[in-house]
């Protein structure tokens, strides 16, 4: 297993971590009827989940965020930490499960390395799609969810430290503009329209931004934009020195 796209030659291996037996059973039943996804382990809390993940080496972990003992945030941090991974460079992707839209723990879980989040009452087709998307190396954050994520944390969580714009100095002016639009929840199509660029050019810019800033996906780009002050109630991007 690598930390990039999953080979299509085998089934996606999933571990389900949730303190509710009925939910774990429901998820297992959903995956059992697919041809490309299999449940290789279950756990009822974060600590057990970390142990099961290390033993089974799955591709994707469905992680409840609120559990007794070690919660989903801390478990995600352990699972996504290379120093804590005894299996080599491959790290499982983590998909956070939450009862409430934009749960207060979601932001911390995304910072800990989760690739996205889903409500527990997500439709079956959307759940299966999310697992496949995450296994392929992408993040499950639609532009609409990204916008709500931004709004939620602008309203409830102040930036912990002054904007660290020095990290953005490696970007060109055009790349900074693209990153700002990503942080505001724009899709690739919307970015292309606003900047009068082709879709291919936008993808090229995004690839270079992620490489220069060592970002894994759009989730990390949004978080960086928030922490660096790109996302604010002022629609203008920060001035460059």
């Amino acid at each position: 297993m690598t930390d990039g796209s999953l080979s299509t030659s085998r089934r996606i291996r999933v571990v389900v971590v949730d303190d509710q037996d009925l939910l774990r059973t429901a998820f297992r039943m959903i995956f059992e009827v697919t041809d490309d996804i299999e449940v290789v382990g279950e756990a009822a809390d974060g600590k057990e989940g970390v142990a099961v993940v290390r033993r089974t080496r799955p591709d994707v972990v469905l992680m409840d965020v609120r559990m007794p003992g070690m919660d989903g945030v801390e478990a995600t941090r352990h699972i996504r930490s290379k120093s804590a991974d005894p299996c080599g460079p491959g790290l499982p992707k983590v998909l956070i499960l939450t009862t409430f839209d934009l749960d207060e723990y979601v932001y911390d879980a995304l910072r800990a390395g989760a690739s996205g989040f889903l409500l527990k009452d997500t439709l079956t087709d959307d759940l299966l799609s999310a697992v496949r998307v995450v296994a392929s190396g992408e993040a499950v954050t639609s532009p609409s969810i990204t916008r709500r994520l931004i709004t939620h944390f602008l309203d409830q969580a102040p930036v912990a430290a002054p904007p660290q714009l020095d990290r953005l100095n490696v970007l060109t002016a055009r790349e900074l503009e693209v990153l700002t639009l990503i942080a505001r929840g724009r899709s690739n199509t919307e970015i292309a329209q606003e900047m009068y660029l082709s879709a291919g050019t936008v993808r090229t810019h995004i690839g270079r931004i992620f490489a220069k800033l060592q970002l894994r996906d759009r989730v990390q780009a949004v978080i960086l934009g928030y922490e660096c002050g790109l996302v604010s109630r002022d629609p203008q991007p920060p001035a460059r020195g």
Side-chain angles (χ1 to χ4, degrees):
M1 179 175 64
T2 66
D3 203 33
S5 298
L6 180 71
S7 170
T8 57
S9 62
R10 65 179 180 83
R11 302 178 77 185
I12 300 169
R13 296 164 54 81
V14 174
V15 164
V16 181
V17 184
D18 196 295
D19 61 344
Q20 298 182 47
D21 292 342
L22 286 177
L23 274 175
R24 295 200 309 275
T25 299
F27 286 131
R28 177 181 284 277
M29 291 176 64
I30 289 172
F31 295 134
E32 281 181 346
V33 299
T34 69
D35 295 327
D36 61 332
I37 302 173
E38 62 177 329
V39 175
V40 296
E42 298 180 16
D45 60 57
K47 184 177 181 179
E48 181 186 1
V50 172
V52 171
V53 166
R54 290 180 179 176
R55 184 175 69 250
T56 60
R57 302 174 62 177
D59 303 300
V60 177
V61 182
L62 287 182
M63 178 73 72
D64 185 14
V65 72
R66 296 176 182 237
M67 293 179 289
M70 181 185 291
D71 63 23
V73 175
E74 185 62 23
T76 297
R77 190 172 291 116
H78 279 280
I79 290 169
R80 291 295 301 171
S81 170
K82 290 186 178 180
S83 63
D85 176 39
C87 307
L91 295 173
K93 309 297 190 301
V94 178
L95 193 54
I96 292 295
L97 298 168
T98 178
T99 303
F100 305 102
D101 196 1
L102 293 180
D103 184 287
E104 64 188 71
Y105 290 97
V106 167
Y107 180 72
D108 288 338
L110 295 175
R111 289 196 66 188
S115 294
F117 68 94
L118 290 174
L119 295 178
K120 290 186 177 182
D121 60 359
T122 295
L123 297 175
T124 296
D125 287 347
D126 292 336
L127 170 65
L128 296 175
S129 176
V131 169
R132 291 169 180 136
V133 168
V134 167
S136 74
E138 299 297 326
V140 180
T141 48
S142 69
S144 62
I145 290 177
T146 301
R147 292 188 188 102
R148 295 204 308 275
L149 186 69
I150 293 168
T151 300
H152 177 79
F153 289 107
L154 283 177
D155 288 341
Q156 299 194 23
V159 177
Q164 301 297 315
L165 294 180
D166 287 349
R167 184 177 176 187
L168 306 181
N169 287 340
V170 296
L171 302 181
T172 65
R174 179 57 60 90
E175 289 167 349
L176 179 63
E177 187 176 357
V178 171
L179 177 61
T180 300
L181 292 175
I182 292 173
R184 290 175 181 165
R186 302 293 197 274
S187 67
N188 283 15
T189 299
E190 290 170 333
I191 294 172
Q193 291 172 345
E194 290 189 36
M195 297 184 66
Y196 302 100
L197 300 172
S198 70
T201 300
V202 171
R203 288 194 297 270
T204 298
H205 282 310
I206 292 174
R208 289 173 178 168
I209 291 166
F210 285 12
K212 288 181 178 181
L213 298 177
Q214 298 183 337
L215 300 175
R216 183 185 67 245
D217 50 41
R218 274 182 124 86
V219 172
Q220 289 195 333
V222 171
I223 291 172
L224 178 65
Y226 171 76
E227 293 180 335
C228 289
L230 295 179
V231 179
S232 69
R233 301 201 182 281
D234 180 355
Q236 299 301 317
R240 296 187 60 136

